[in-house]
Amino acid sequence: MEKLAHVVAFLLLASLFQPLTARNLEIDVFQLDVAQSGCPGVTKNQWPELLGVPANFAKQTIQKENPKITDVPYVLNGSPVTLDFRCDRVRLFVNVLDIVVQTPRVT
């Protein structure tokens, strides 16, 4: 039982440091420019300032700044997602503590 407690403690500590390392390791493999993508009314396409904040706060901020964004799902970092592009969606990639670990952007 003590071993399990150590594993859980390690995972929690690792997830706390993940936002710090995600800033340095984030690579934009495929990024669409919202202005060129044909998303009418979408005024902002990414929120780098929300990296490392709680997911609920990030979702509220995104929807407040851009009411056209209606779909803001939480996705556990590393989970597979579809590659389709939607003007009304911003995926929030989070760790096990619901902290945003990738820059939120219109996807």
Side-chain angles (χ1 to χ4, degrees):
M1 190 67 164
E2 185 177 324
K3 201 173 206 180
L4 178 62
H6 285 117
V7 170
V8 171
F10 174 77
L11 289 174
L12 287 174
L13 284 172
S15 66
L16 288 174
F17 288 105
Q18 191 173 6
L20 299 175
T21 58
R23 287 187 179 158
N24 297 332
L25 299 176
E26 185 172 322
I27 300 171
D28 292 331
V29 176
F30 184 71
Q31 181 178 359
L32 292 174
D33 182 12
V34 173
Q36 296 176 351
S37 68
C39 293
V42 176
T43 56
K44 188 173 180 181
N45 69 336
Q46 57 182 336
W47 291 262
E49 68 275 11
L50 296 178
L51 191 59
V53 303
N56 286 335
F57 177 76
K59 181 176 182 174
Q60 291 172 358
T61 301
I62 290 167
Q63 291 180 320
K64 181 177 152 187
E65 290 182 3
N66 201 335
K68 296 282 185 181
I69 305 294
T70 57
D71 187 15
V72 186
Y74 301 167
V75 180
L76 186 61
N77 195 36
S79 298
V81 294
T82 60
L83 297 178
D84 63 319
F85 181 82
R86 290 184 29 206
C87 293
D88 66 336
R89 178 179 61 207
V90 173
R91 289 186 180 113
L92 294 177
F93 290 93
V94 299
N95 61 16
V96 295
L97 299 175
D98 274 345
I99 302 295
V100 177
V101 295
Q102 289 186 31
T103 300
R105 64 190 61 194
V106 175
T107 58

